[in-house]
Amino acid sequence: MSSDNMRVLFTDEEIQNKVKELAKIIKEQYTPENVNDPEFQKPIALCVLKGALFFFADLMREVELDFEIDFIRLSSYGSSSVSSGQVIFVTDTKLPLTGRDVLIVEDIVDSGNTMDFLREEFARRGARSIKICTLIDKRERRTQEVKIDYSGFTLAQGFIVGYGMDYAENYRALPAIYEILI
Ligand code: IMP
Ligand code: MG
């Protein structure tokens, strides 16, 4: 299957159970108190491409609430593979965020730079609330202590692929999550 040395970290079943757990909490917290309120606006769920693609699709189906959905893509520049540098939009959302409740769905928070940038940027655009849901919270290289509202698995260290996540654009379509052993 691959030339890299890999071992399963989270099985398909473990991932799907975790998605259900997260969806239940999100559903409770985002269920509108009064949909007939003329002020009510649907929350917005933003998928951070490409890595969060499968997680986003599974999560949103489980949450079963009417979110407006959109996709964003970011790129970060830095001197190393750690995203130490500046984060920029490759694809931005066109939805005006003023007064809106925004749920960011991410595959993995590593240094925290990307999510720190998004929190700041969306606050600047006037979002009413900003929450972050990540499947994986990886602590090893955290440099920005960004608030994560919903987190699936915590990982002390390691490089992982599968279920949307890649290593040089490989392995994204695998249904389980693997650690690459270096
Ligand atoms: P950061 O939190 O700004 O450092 O960036 C996190 C992004 O780096 C994630 O959204 C992933 O796209 C990527 N990334 C970090 N660690 C891994 C990993 O172990 N496997 C695959 N992608 C990773
Ligand atoms: Mg990502």
Side-chain angles (χ1 to χ4, degrees):
M1 181 186 66
S2 80
S3 52
D4 293 301
N5 195 3
M6 289 157 54
R7 75 176 172 95
V8 176
L9 202 58
F10 304 113
T11 64
D12 182 14
E13 197 187 346
E14 284 171 324
I15 297 167
Q16 294 309 324
N17 287 338
K18 189 59 83 176
V19 167
K20 286 192 176 73
E21 256 177 58
L22 289 170
K24 192 165 174 279
I25 302 166
I26 291 170
K27 186 174 183 175
E28 276 164 18
Q29 298 195 354
Y30 280 87
T31 298
E33 278 161 27
N34 182 6
V35 251
N36 299 320
D37 181 347
E39 301 281 293
F40 175 75
Q41 280 191 294
K42 268 188 243 180
I44 297 174
L46 293 178
C47 172
V48 185
L49 293 172
K50 301 176 193 175
L53 175 67
F54 300 122
F55 176 45
F56 185 75
D58 288 343
L59 185 74
M60 296 321 290
R61 277 182 297 193
E62 283 294 332
V63 170
E64 293 177 324
L65 288 179
D66 196 16
F67 276 81
E68 194 162 346
I69 67 170
D70 206 359
F71 302 87
I72 57 176
R73 201 165 154 202
L74 299 147
S75 169
S76 58
Y77 292 108
S79 51
S80 66
S81 61
V82 187
S83 68
S84 53
Q86 187 196 351
V87 182
I88 56 155
F89 279 99
V90 175
T91 308
D92 198 348
T93 176
K94 294 220 166 50
L95 297 174
L97 302 183
T98 318
R100 304 296 297 269
D101 295 306
V102 178
L103 175 66
I104 301 165
V105 180
E106 173 67 308
D107 53 354
I108 170 163
V109 177
D110 187 16
S111 70
N113 279 330
T114 310
M115 288 303 106
D116 187 60
F117 165 80
L118 279 187
R119 267 198 185 282
E120 232 170 75
E121 175 60 21
F122 292 165
R124 199 185 58 76
R125 295 184 197 179
R128 188 173 83 135
S129 72
I130 302 161
K131 287 190 173 172
I132 294 172
C133 175
T134 187
L135 181 63
I136 313 274
D137 177 2
K138 193 165 82 174
R139 310 292 316 176
E140 188 186 12
R141 303 195 288 194
R142 189 67 42 87
T143 50
Q144 295 291 333
E145 271 314 321
V146 63
K147 180 170 185 249
I148 298 171
D149 301 277
Y150 313 103
S151 157
F153 302 104
T154 304
L155 201 65
Q157 58 191 39
F159 195 87
I160 58 177
V161 295
Y163 195 61
M165 291 172 280
D166 75 307
Y167 175 55
E169 294 301 328
N170 294 313
Y171 312 121
R172 283 196 200 275
L174 297 174
I177 294 176
Y178 297 76
E179 181 180 9
I180 294 199
L181 307 167
I182 303 159

